[in-house]
Amino acid sequence: AGCNVENACYSLGVCAERTAIQKAISEGHTSFRAMAIASDMGDHFIVPCGACRQVMREFGTDWNIYLTKTDGTYVVKTLEELLPLSFGPEDLKK
């Protein structure tokens, strides 16, 4: 579980996605199958920011990201769809 930690200087805040991943890693989890992103923004699906997408990418591209709205509707995207042609740990071996 994670939540946004806002700061008056926006770049110093921490997104919920990165908070959740870092908490999971600190508890020994390094393999992920899915993540759900929820908010109270009404009519809009909330998507992860670029920094969160790149952190998520460290754990592969074939896991599902559930984007939800307050009315219960959702869409499912793979990380590959959200971050195409990405750079990951395997590229460091080239």
Coordinates of all heavy atoms in Angstrom, one line a residue:
A1 N 0.8 -1.2 0.0 CA 0.0 0.0 0.0 C 0.9 1.2 0.0 O 2.0 1.2 0.6 CB -0.9 0.0 1.2
G2 N 0.4 2.3 -0.6 CA 1.2 3.5 -0.7 C 0.2 4.7 -0.8 O -1.0 4.5 -1.2
C3 N 0.7 5.9 -0.6 CA -0.1 7.1 -0.7 C 0.8 8.2 -1.2 O 2.0 8.1 -1.0 CB -0.8 7.5 0.6 SG 0.3 8.0 1.9
N4 N 0.2 9.2 -1.8 CA 1.0 10.4 -2.1 C 1.4 11.1 -0.9 O 0.7 11.2 0.1 CB 0.1 11.4 -2.9 CG -0.1 10.9 -4.4 OD1 0.5 9.9 -4.8 ND2 -0.8 11.7 -5.1
V5 N 2.6 11.7 -0.9 CA 3.1 12.5 0.2 C 3.4 13.8 -0.5 O 4.4 14.0 -1.1 CB 4.3 11.9 0.9 CG1 4.8 12.9 2.0 CG2 4.0 10.5 1.5
E6 N 2.5 14.8 -0.4 CA 2.6 16.1 -1.1 C 3.6 17.0 -0.4 O 3.8 16.9 0.8 CB 1.2 16.7 -1.1 CG 0.2 15.9 -1.9 CD 0.4 15.8 -3.4 OE1 1.0 16.7 -3.9 OE2 -0.1 14.9 -4.0
N7 N 4.1 17.9 -1.1 CA 5.0 18.9 -0.6 C 4.8 20.2 -1.4 O 4.4 20.2 -2.6 CB 6.5 18.4 -0.8 CG 7.5 19.3 -0.1 OD1 7.7 20.4 -0.6 ND2 8.1 18.8 0.9
A8 N 4.9 21.4 -0.7 CA 4.7 22.6 -1.4 C 5.6 22.8 -2.7 O 5.2 23.3 -3.7 CB 4.9 23.8 -0.5
C9 N 6.8 22.2 -2.6 CA 7.7 22.1 -3.7 C 7.4 20.8 -4.4 O 7.9 19.7 -4.0 CB 9.1 22.2 -3.3 SG 10.3 22.1 -4.7
Y10 N 6.6 20.8 -5.4 CA 6.0 19.6 -6.0 C 7.1 18.5 -6.3 O 6.8 17.3 -6.0 CB 5.3 19.8 -7.3 CG 4.0 20.6 -7.1 CD1 3.8 21.8 -7.7 CD2 3.0 20.1 -6.3 CE1 2.6 22.5 -7.5 CE2 1.8 20.8 -6.1 CZ 1.7 22.0 -6.7 OH 0.5 22.7 -6.5
S11 N 8.2 18.9 -6.7 CA 9.2 17.8 -7.0 C 9.8 17.1 -5.8 O 10.4 16.1 -6.0 CB 10.4 18.5 -7.8 OG 11.0 19.4 -7.0
L12 N 9.5 17.6 -4.6 CA 10.0 16.9 -3.4 C 8.9 16.0 -2.8 O 9.2 15.3 -1.8 CB 10.4 18.0 -2.4 CG 11.6 18.8 -2.7 CD1 11.9 19.8 -1.6 CD2 12.8 18.0 -3.0
G13 N 7.7 16.0 -3.4 CA 6.7 15.0 -3.0 C 7.1 13.6 -3.4 O 8.0 13.4 -4.2
V14 N 6.3 12.6 -3.0 CA 6.5 11.2 -3.3 C 5.2 10.7 -3.8 O 4.2 10.8 -3.1 CB 7.1 10.4 -2.2 CG1 7.3 9.0 -2.6 CG2 8.4 11.0 -1.7
C15 N 5.2 10.0 -4.9 CA 3.9 9.4 -5.5 C 3.6 8.1 -4.8 O 4.5 7.4 -4.2 CB 4.1 9.2 -7.0 SG 4.4 10.6 -8.0
A16 N 2.3 7.8 -4.8 CA 1.8 6.6 -4.2 C 2.5 5.3 -4.8 O 2.8 4.4 -4.1 CB 0.3 6.5 -4.3
E17 N 2.6 5.3 -6.1 CA 3.2 4.2 -6.8 C 4.6 3.8 -6.3 O 4.9 2.7 -6.0 CB 3.2 4.4 -8.3 CG 1.8 4.6 -8.9 CD 1.4 6.0 -9.0 OE1 1.9 6.9 -8.2 OE2 0.5 6.3 -9.8
R18 N 5.4 4.9 -6.2 CA 6.8 4.6 -5.8 C 6.8 4.3 -4.3 O 7.6 3.4 -3.9 CB 7.7 5.8 -6.1 CG 8.1 5.9 -7.5 CD 9.0 7.0 -7.8 NE 8.1 8.2 -7.9 CZ 8.5 9.5 -7.8 NH1 9.8 9.7 -7.5 NH2 7.7 10.4 -7.9
T19 N 5.9 4.9 -3.5 CA 5.9 4.6 -2.1 C 5.5 3.1 -1.9 O 6.1 2.4 -1.1 CB 4.8 5.4 -1.4 OG1 5.2 6.8 -1.5 CG2 4.7 5.1 0.1
A20 N 4.5 2.6 -2.7 CA 4.1 1.2 -2.5 C 5.2 0.3 -3.0 O 5.5 -0.8 -2.3 CB 2.9 1.0 -3.4
I21 N 5.9 0.6 -4.1 CA 7.0 -0.3 -4.5 C 8.1 -0.3 -3.5 O 8.6 -1.4 -3.2 CB 7.5 0.1 -5.9 CG1 6.4 -0.2 -7.0 CG2 8.8 -0.5 -6.2 CD1 6.7 0.3 -8.3
Q22 N 8.5 0.8 -3.0 CA 9.6 0.9 -2.1 C 9.3 0.2 -0.8 O 10.1 -0.5 -0.2 CB 10.0 2.3 -1.8 CG 10.7 2.9 -3.1 CD 10.7 4.4 -3.1 OE1 10.2 5.1 -2.2 NE2 11.4 4.9 -4.1
K23 N 8.0 0.3 -0.3 CA 7.6 -0.4 0.9 C 7.7 -1.9 0.6 O 8.1 -2.7 1.5 CB 6.2 0.0 1.3 CG 5.7 -0.7 2.6 CD 4.4 -0.2 3.0 CE 3.9 -0.6 4.3 NZ 4.0 -2.0 4.7
A24 N 7.2 -2.4 -0.5 CA 7.2 -3.8 -0.8 C 8.6 -4.3 -0.9 O 9.0 -5.4 -0.3 CB 6.5 -4.1 -2.2
I25 N 9.5 -3.6 -1.5 CA 10.9 -4.0 -1.6 C 11.5 -4.1 -0.2 O 12.3 -5.0 0.2 CB 11.7 -3.0 -2.5 CG1 11.3 -3.2 -3.9 CG2 13.2 -3.3 -2.3 CD1 11.8 -2.1 -4.8
S26 N 11.2 -3.1 0.7 CA 11.8 -3.1 2.0 C 11.3 -4.3 2.8 O 11.9 -4.7 3.8 CB 11.4 -1.8 2.8 OG 10.1 -1.8 3.1
E27 N 10.2 -4.9 2.4 CA 9.6 -6.1 3.1 C 10.0 -7.4 2.4 O 9.5 -8.4 2.7 CB 8.1 -5.9 3.2 CG 7.7 -4.8 4.1 CD 6.2 -4.6 4.3 OE1 5.5 -5.4 3.6 OE2 5.9 -3.7 5.0
G28 N 10.9 -7.3 1.4 CA 11.5 -8.5 0.7 C 10.8 -8.9 -0.6 O 11.1 -9.9 -1.1
H29 N 9.8 -8.1 -1.1 CA 9.1 -8.4 -2.3 C 9.8 -7.8 -3.5 O 10.0 -6.6 -3.5 CB 7.6 -8.0 -2.2 CG 6.9 -8.5 -1.0 ND1 6.5 -9.8 -1.0 CD2 6.6 -7.9 0.1 CE1 5.9 -10.0 0.2 NE2 6.0 -8.9 0.9
T30 N 10.1 -8.5 -4.5 CA 10.8 -8.0 -5.7 C 10.1 -8.4 -7.0 O 10.6 -8.1 -8.1 CB 12.3 -8.4 -5.7 OG1 12.4 -9.8 -5.7 CG2 13.0 -7.8 -4.5
S31 N 9.0 -9.2 -6.9 CA 8.3 -9.6 -8.1 C 6.9 -9.2 -8.0 O 6.2 -9.4 -7.0 CB 8.4 -11.2 -8.2 OG 7.7 -11.6 -9.3
F32 N 6.4 -8.5 -9.1 CA 5.1 -7.9 -9.1 C 4.3 -8.4 -10.2 O 4.8 -8.6 -11.3 CB 5.2 -6.4 -9.1 CG 6.0 -5.8 -8.0 CD1 7.3 -5.5 -8.2 CD2 5.5 -5.7 -6.7 CE1 8.1 -4.9 -7.1 CE2 6.2 -5.2 -5.7 CZ 7.5 -4.8 -5.9
R33 N 3.0 -8.6 -10.0 CA 2.1 -9.0 -11.1 C 1.1 -7.9 -11.5 O 0.6 -7.9 -12.6 CB 1.3 -10.3 -10.6 CG 2.1 -11.5 -10.4 CD 1.3 -12.7 -10.1 NE 0.4 -12.4 -9.0 CZ -0.4 -13.3 -8.4 NH1 -0.4 -14.5 -8.9 NH2 -1.1 -13.0 -7.4
A34 N 0.8 -7.0 -10.5 CA -0.2 -6.0 -10.8 C -0.1 -4.9 -9.8 O 0.5 -5.0 -8.7 CB -1.6 -6.6 -10.8
M35 N -0.6 -3.7 -10.2 CA -0.8 -2.6 -9.3 C -2.1 -1.9 -9.6 O -2.4 -1.8 -10.8 CB 0.4 -1.6 -9.5 CG 0.2 -0.3 -8.6 SD 1.6 0.9 -8.8 CE 2.9 0.1 -7.9
A36 N -2.8 -1.4 -8.6 CA -4.0 -0.7 -8.8 C -3.8 0.8 -8.4 O -3.2 1.0 -7.4 CB -5.2 -1.3 -8.0
I37 N -4.3 1.7 -9.2 CA -4.1 3.1 -9.0 C -5.5 3.7 -8.9 O -6.3 3.7 -9.8 CB -3.3 3.8 -10.1 CG1 -1.9 3.2 -10.1 CG2 -3.2 5.3 -9.8 CD1 -1.1 3.6 -11.3
A38 N -5.8 4.2 -7.7 CA -7.1 4.8 -7.4 C -7.0 6.2 -7.0 O -6.0 6.6 -6.4 CB -7.8 3.9 -6.3
S39 N -8.0 7.0 -7.2 CA -8.1 8.4 -6.8 C -9.5 8.8 -6.7 O -10.4 8.1 -7.1 CB -7.3 9.3 -7.7 OG -8.1 9.6 -8.9
D40 N -9.7 10.0 -6.2 CA -11.0 10.6 -6.2 C -11.2 11.7 -7.2 O -11.9 12.7 -7.0 CB -11.3 11.1 -4.7 CG -10.4 12.2 -4.3 OD1 -9.5 12.5 -5.0 OD2 -10.5 12.7 -3.2
M41 N -10.5 11.6 -8.3 CA -10.5 12.6 -9.3 C -11.8 12.6 -10.2 O -11.9 13.3 -11.2 CB -9.3 12.5 -10.2 CG -8.0 12.8 -9.5 SD -7.9 14.5 -8.8 CE -7.7 15.4 -10.4
G42 N -12.8 11.8 -9.9 CA -14.0 11.8 -10.6 C -14.0 11.1 -11.9 O -13.9 9.9 -12.0
D43 N -14.1 11.9 -13.0 CA -14.3 11.3 -14.3 C -13.0 10.9 -15.1 O -13.1 10.5 -16.2 CB -15.0 12.4 -15.2 CG -16.4 12.7 -14.7 OD1 -17.0 11.8 -14.1 OD2 -16.9 13.7 -15.0
H44 N -11.9 11.0 -14.4 CA -10.6 10.7 -15.1 C -9.9 9.5 -14.5 O -9.9 9.3 -13.3 CB -9.7 12.0 -14.9 CG -10.3 13.2 -15.5 ND1 -10.4 13.5 -16.8 CD2 -10.8 14.3 -14.8 CE1 -11.0 14.6 -17.0 NE2 -11.3 15.2 -15.8
F45 N -9.3 8.7 -15.4 CA -8.4 7.7 -14.9 C -7.1 8.4 -14.6 O -6.6 9.2 -15.3 CB -8.2 6.6 -16.0 CG -9.4 5.8 -16.3 CD1 -10.1 5.9 -17.4 CD2 -9.8 4.9 -15.3 CE1 -11.2 5.1 -17.7 CE2 -10.9 4.1 -15.5 CZ -11.6 4.2 -16.7
I46 N -6.5 8.0 -13.5 CA -5.2 8.5 -13.1 C -4.1 7.6 -13.5 O -4.2 6.4 -13.3 CB -5.1 8.7 -11.6 CG1 -6.3 9.6 -11.1 CG2 -3.8 9.3 -11.1 CD1 -6.3 11.0 -11.7
V47 N -3.1 8.1 -14.2 CA -2.0 7.2 -14.7 C -0.8 7.6 -13.9 O -0.6 8.7 -13.5 CB -1.8 7.4 -16.2 CG1 -3.0 6.9 -17.0 CG2 -1.5 8.8 -16.6
P48 N 0.2 6.6 -13.8 CA 1.4 6.9 -13.1 C 2.3 8.0 -13.9 O 2.3 8.0 -15.1 CB 2.1 5.6 -13.1 CG 1.4 4.6 -13.9 CD 0.1 5.3 -14.3
C49 N 3.0 8.8 -13.2 CA 3.9 9.8 -13.8 C 5.1 9.0 -14.4 O 5.3 7.8 -14.2 CB 4.4 10.8 -12.8 SG 5.6 10.2 -11.6
G50 N 5.9 9.7 -15.2 CA 7.1 9.1 -15.8 C 8.1 8.5 -14.9 O 8.6 7.5 -15.1
A51 N 8.3 9.2 -13.8 CA 9.3 8.7 -12.8 C 8.7 7.4 -12.2 O 9.5 6.4 -12.0 CB 9.5 9.7 -11.7
C52 N 7.5 7.3 -11.9 CA 6.9 6.1 -11.4 C 6.9 4.9 -12.4 O 7.3 3.8 -12.1 CB 5.5 6.3 -10.9 SG 5.4 7.3 -9.4
R53 N 6.6 5.3 -13.6 CA 6.7 4.3 -14.7 C 8.1 3.7 -14.8 O 8.3 2.5 -15.0 CB 6.3 4.8 -16.0 CG 4.8 5.2 -16.1 CD 4.4 5.9 -17.4 NE 3.2 6.6 -17.2 CZ 2.4 6.9 -18.3 NH1 2.7 6.5 -19.5 NH2 1.2 7.5 -18.0
Q54 N 9.1 4.5 -14.7 CA 10.5 4.0 -14.8 C 10.9 3.2 -13.6 O 11.5 2.1 -13.8 CB 11.5 5.2 -15.0 CG 12.9 4.7 -15.2 CD 13.0 3.9 -16.5 OE1 12.5 4.3 -17.6 NE2 13.7 2.8 -16.4
V55 N 10.4 3.5 -12.4 CA 10.7 2.7 -11.2 C 10.0 1.4 -11.4 O 10.6 0.3 -11.1 CB 10.3 3.4 -9.9 CG1 10.3 2.5 -8.7 CG2 11.2 4.6 -9.7
M56 N 8.8 1.4 -11.8 CA 8.0 0.2 -12.0 C 8.7 -0.7 -13.1 O 8.7 -1.9 -12.9 CB 6.6 0.5 -12.5 CG 5.8 1.2 -11.4 SD 4.4 2.1 -12.0 CE 3.2 0.8 -12.3
R57 N 9.3 -0.1 -14.1 CA 10.0 -0.8 -15.2 C 11.1 -1.7 -14.7 O 11.5 -2.7 -15.3 CB 10.4 0.2 -16.2 CG 11.3 -0.4 -17.3 CD 10.6 -1.4 -18.1 NE 11.4 -1.9 -19.2 CZ 12.3 -3.0 -19.0 NH1 12.4 -3.6 -17.9 NH2 12.9 -3.4 -20.1
E58 N 11.7 -1.3 -13.6 CA 12.8 -2.1 -13.0 C 12.4 -3.6 -12.7 O 13.2 -4.4 -12.6 CB 13.3 -1.5 -11.7 CG 14.1 -0.2 -11.9 CD 15.4 -0.3 -12.7 OE1 16.2 -1.2 -12.3 OE2 15.5 0.4 -13.7
F59 N 11.1 -3.8 -12.6 CA 10.6 -5.1 -12.3 C 9.9 -5.8 -13.4 O 9.0 -6.7 -13.3 CB 9.7 -5.0 -11.1 CG 10.4 -4.3 -9.9 CD1 10.3 -2.9 -9.7 CD2 11.3 -5.0 -9.1 CE1 11.0 -2.3 -8.7 CE2 12.0 -4.4 -8.1 CZ 11.8 -3.1 -7.9
G60 N 10.2 -5.4 -14.7 CA 9.6 -6.0 -15.9 C 8.6 -5.1 -16.5 O 8.2 -4.1 -16.0
T61 N 8.1 -5.6 -17.7 CA 7.1 -4.8 -18.5 C 5.8 -5.6 -18.6 O 4.8 -5.0 -19.1 CB 7.6 -4.5 -19.9 OG1 7.9 -5.8 -20.5 CG2 8.9 -3.7 -19.8
D62 N 5.7 -6.8 -18.1 CA 4.5 -7.6 -18.4 C 3.6 -7.7 -17.2 O 2.8 -8.6 -17.1 CB 4.9 -9.0 -18.9 CG 5.7 -9.8 -17.8 OD1 6.2 -9.1 -16.8 OD2 5.9 -11.0 -18.0
W63 N 3.6 -6.8 -16.3 CA 2.6 -6.8 -15.3 C 1.5 -5.8 -15.5 O 1.7 -4.8 -16.3 CB 3.2 -6.6 -13.9 CG 4.3 -5.6 -13.6 CD1 5.5 -5.4 -14.3 CD2 4.2 -4.6 -12.6 NE1 6.1 -4.4 -13.7 CE2 5.4 -3.9 -12.6 CE3 3.3 -4.4 -11.6 CZ2 5.7 -2.9 -11.7 CZ3 3.6 -3.3 -10.7 CH2 4.8 -2.6 -10.8
N64 N 0.4 -6.0 -14.9 CA -0.8 -5.2 -15.2 C -0.9 -4.0 -14.2 O -0.7 -4.1 -13.0 CB -2.1 -6.0 -15.1 CG -2.2 -7.1 -16.2 OD1 -1.8 -6.8 -17.3 ND2 -2.7 -8.2 -15.8
I65 N -1.4 -2.9 -14.8 CA -1.7 -1.7 -14.0 C -3.2 -1.4 -14.2 O -3.7 -1.2 -15.3 CB -0.9 -0.5 -14.6 CG1 0.6 -0.8 -14.8 CG2 -1.1 0.7 -13.7 CD1 1.3 -1.3 -13.5
Y66 N -3.9 -1.5 -13.1 CA -5.3 -1.2 -13.0 C -5.5 0.3 -12.7 O -5.1 0.8 -11.7 CB -6.0 -2.1 -12.0 CG -6.0 -3.5 -12.3 CD1 -4.9 -4.3 -12.1 CD2 -7.2 -4.1 -12.8 CE1 -5.0 -5.7 -12.4 CE2 -7.2 -5.5 -13.1 CZ -6.1 -6.2 -12.9 OH -6.1 -7.6 -13.3
L67 N -6.2 1.0 -13.7 CA -6.5 2.4 -13.5 C -8.0 2.5 -13.2 O -8.8 2.0 -14.0 CB -6.2 3.2 -14.8 CG -4.8 2.9 -15.4 CD1 -4.6 3.6 -16.7 CD2 -3.7 3.4 -14.4
T68 N -8.3 3.0 -12.0 CA -9.7 3.0 -11.6 C -10.3 4.4 -11.5 O -9.5 5.4 -11.3 CB -9.8 2.3 -10.2 OG1 -9.2 3.2 -9.2 CG2 -9.1 1.0 -10.2
K69 N -11.6 4.5 -11.5 CA -12.3 5.7 -11.2 C -13.2 5.5 -10.0 O -13.5 4.4 -9.6 CB -13.1 6.2 -12.5 CG -12.3 6.6 -13.6 CD -13.0 7.4 -14.7 CE -14.1 6.6 -15.4 NZ -14.7 7.2 -16.5
T70 N -13.8 6.6 -9.5 CA -14.6 6.5 -8.3 C -15.9 5.8 -8.5 O -16.5 5.2 -7.6 CB -14.9 7.9 -7.7 OG1 -15.5 8.7 -8.7 CG2 -13.6 8.6 -7.2
D71 N -16.4 5.7 -9.8 CA -17.6 5.0 -10.0 C -17.4 3.5 -10.1 O -18.4 2.7 -10.4 CB -18.3 5.5 -11.3 CG -17.5 5.3 -12.6 OD1 -16.4 4.6 -12.5 OD2 -18.0 5.8 -13.6
G72 N -16.2 3.0 -9.9 CA -15.9 1.6 -10.0 C -15.4 1.1 -11.3 O -15.0 -0.1 -11.4
T73 N -15.5 1.9 -12.3 CA -15.0 1.5 -13.6 C -13.5 1.5 -13.6 O -12.8 2.2 -12.8 CB -15.5 2.4 -14.8 OG1 -15.0 3.7 -14.5 CG2 -17.0 2.3 -14.9
Y74 N -12.9 0.7 -14.5 CA -11.4 0.6 -14.6 C -11.0 0.1 -15.9 O -11.8 -0.4 -16.7 CB -10.9 -0.4 -13.5 CG -11.3 -1.8 -13.7 CD1 -10.4 -2.7 -14.4 CD2 -12.5 -2.3 -13.1 CE1 -10.8 -4.0 -14.5 CE2 -12.8 -3.6 -13.3 CZ -12.0 -4.5 -14.0 OH -12.4 -5.8 -14.2
V75 N -9.7 0.4 -16.2 CA -9.1 -0.2 -17.4 C -7.8 -0.8 -17.0 O -7.2 -0.5 -15.9 CB -8.8 0.9 -18.5 CG1 -10.1 1.5 -19.1 CG2 -7.9 2.0 -18.0
V76 N -7.4 -1.8 -17.7 CA -6.1 -2.5 -17.4 C -5.1 -2.3 -18.5 O -5.5 -2.5 -19.7 CB -6.4 -4.0 -17.2 CG1 -5.1 -4.7 -16.9 CG2 -7.4 -4.3 -16.2
K77 N -4.0 -1.8 -18.2 CA -2.9 -1.6 -19.1 C -1.7 -2.4 -18.6 O -1.5 -2.6 -17.4 CB -2.5 -0.1 -19.2 CG -3.6 0.8 -19.7 CD -3.9 0.6 -21.1 CE -4.9 1.6 -21.6 NZ -5.2 1.4 -23.0
T78 N -0.8 -2.9 -19.6 CA 0.4 -3.4 -19.1 C 1.4 -2.3 -19.0 O 1.2 -1.2 -19.6 CB 1.0 -4.5 -20.2 OG1 1.3 -3.8 -21.4 CG2 0.0 -5.6 -20.4
L79 N 2.5 -2.5 -18.3 CA 3.5 -1.5 -18.1 C 4.1 -1.2 -19.5 O 4.5 -0.1 -19.8 CB 4.5 -1.9 -17.1 CG 5.5 -0.8 -16.7 CD1 4.8 0.5 -16.2 CD2 6.5 -1.3 -15.7
E80 N 4.2 -2.2 -20.3 CA 4.7 -2.0 -21.7 C 3.9 -1.0 -22.5 O 4.4 -0.2 -23.2 CB 4.8 -3.4 -22.5 CG 5.2 -3.3 -23.9 CD 6.7 -2.9 -24.1 OE1 7.5 -3.2 -23.2 OE2 7.0 -2.3 -25.1
E81 N 2.6 -1.1 -22.3 CA 1.7 -0.1 -22.9 C 1.9 1.3 -22.4 O 1.8 2.3 -23.2 CB 0.2 -0.5 -22.8 CG -0.2 -1.7 -23.5 CD -1.6 -2.1 -23.2 OE1 -1.9 -2.5 -22.1 OE2 -2.4 -2.1 -24.2
L82 N 2.2 1.4 -21.1 CA 2.4 2.8 -20.5 C 3.8 3.3 -20.7 O 4.0 4.5 -20.6 CB 2.1 2.7 -19.0 CG 0.6 2.4 -18.6 CD1 0.5 2.2 -17.1 CD2 -0.3 3.4 -19.1
L83 N 4.7 2.4 -21.0 CA 6.1 2.9 -21.2 C 6.7 2.1 -22.3 O 7.6 1.2 -22.1 CB 6.9 2.7 -19.9 CG 8.3 3.3 -19.8 CD1 8.2 4.8 -19.9 CD2 9.0 2.9 -18.5
P84 N 6.3 2.3 -23.6 CA 6.9 1.6 -24.7 C 8.3 1.9 -24.9 O 8.8 3.0 -24.6 CB 6.0 2.0 -25.9 CG 5.5 3.4 -25.5 CD 5.4 3.4 -24.0
L85 N 9.0 1.0 -25.5 CA 10.5 1.1 -25.9 C 11.3 1.6 -24.7 O 12.1 2.5 -24.8 CB 10.6 2.2 -27.1 CG 9.8 1.8 -28.3 CD1 9.9 2.9 -29.3 CD2 10.4 0.5 -29.0
S86 N 11.0 1.0 -23.6 CA 11.7 1.4 -22.3 C 13.1 0.9 -22.1 O 13.5 0.0 -22.8 CB 10.8 1.0 -21.2 OG 10.8 -0.5 -21.1
F87 N 13.8 1.5 -21.2 CA 15.1 1.1 -20.8 C 15.0 0.4 -19.5 O 14.4 0.9 -18.5 CB 16.0 2.4 -20.7 CG 17.4 2.1 -20.3 CD1 18.4 1.9 -21.3 CD2 17.8 2.1 -19.0 CE1 19.7 1.6 -21.0 CE2 19.1 1.8 -18.7 CZ 20.1 1.6 -19.6
G88 N 15.6 -0.8 -19.4 CA 15.5 -1.5 -18.1 C 16.8 -2.2 -17.7 O 17.8 -2.0 -18.4
P89 N 16.8 -2.9 -16.7 CA 18.0 -3.5 -16.1 C 18.8 -4.4 -17.2 O 20.0 -4.4 -17.2 CB 17.5 -4.4 -15.0 CG 16.2 -3.8 -14.6 CD 15.6 -3.2 -15.8
E90 N 18.1 -5.0 -18.0 CA 18.7 -5.9 -19.0 C 19.5 -5.1 -20.0 O 20.5 -5.5 -20.6 CB 17.7 -6.8 -19.8 CG 16.7 -6.0 -20.6 CD 15.5 -5.4 -19.9 OE1 15.4 -5.5 -18.6 OE2 14.7 -4.8 -20.5
D91 N 19.2 -3.8 -20.2 CA 20.0 -2.9 -21.1 C 21.3 -2.6 -20.5 O 22.2 -2.2 -21.3 CB 19.2 -1.6 -21.4 CG 17.9 -1.9 -22.2 OD1 18.0 -2.5 -23.3 OD2 16.8 -1.6 -21.7
L92 N 21.5 -2.7 -19.3 CA 22.8 -2.4 -18.6 C 23.8 -3.5 -19.0 O 25.0 -3.2 -18.9 CB 22.7 -2.3 -17.1 CG 21.8 -1.2 -16.6 CD1 21.6 -1.2 -15.1 CD2 22.4 0.2 -17.0
K93 N 23.3 -4.6 -19.4 CA 24.2 -5.7 -19.8 C 24.8 -5.7 -21.2 O 25.6 -6.5 -21.6 CB 23.5 -7.1 -19.6 CG 23.1 -7.3 -18.1 CD 22.2 -8.5 -18.0 CE 21.7 -8.6 -16.6 NZ 20.8 -9.7 -16.4
K94 N 24.3 -4.7 -22.0 CA 24.7 -4.6 -23.4 C 26.0 -3.8 -23.5 O 26.3 -3.0 -22.8 CB 23.6 -3.9 -24.2 CG 22.3 -4.7 -24.2 CD 21.2 -4.0 -25.0 CE 19.9 -4.8 -25.0 NZ 18.9 -4.1 -25.7

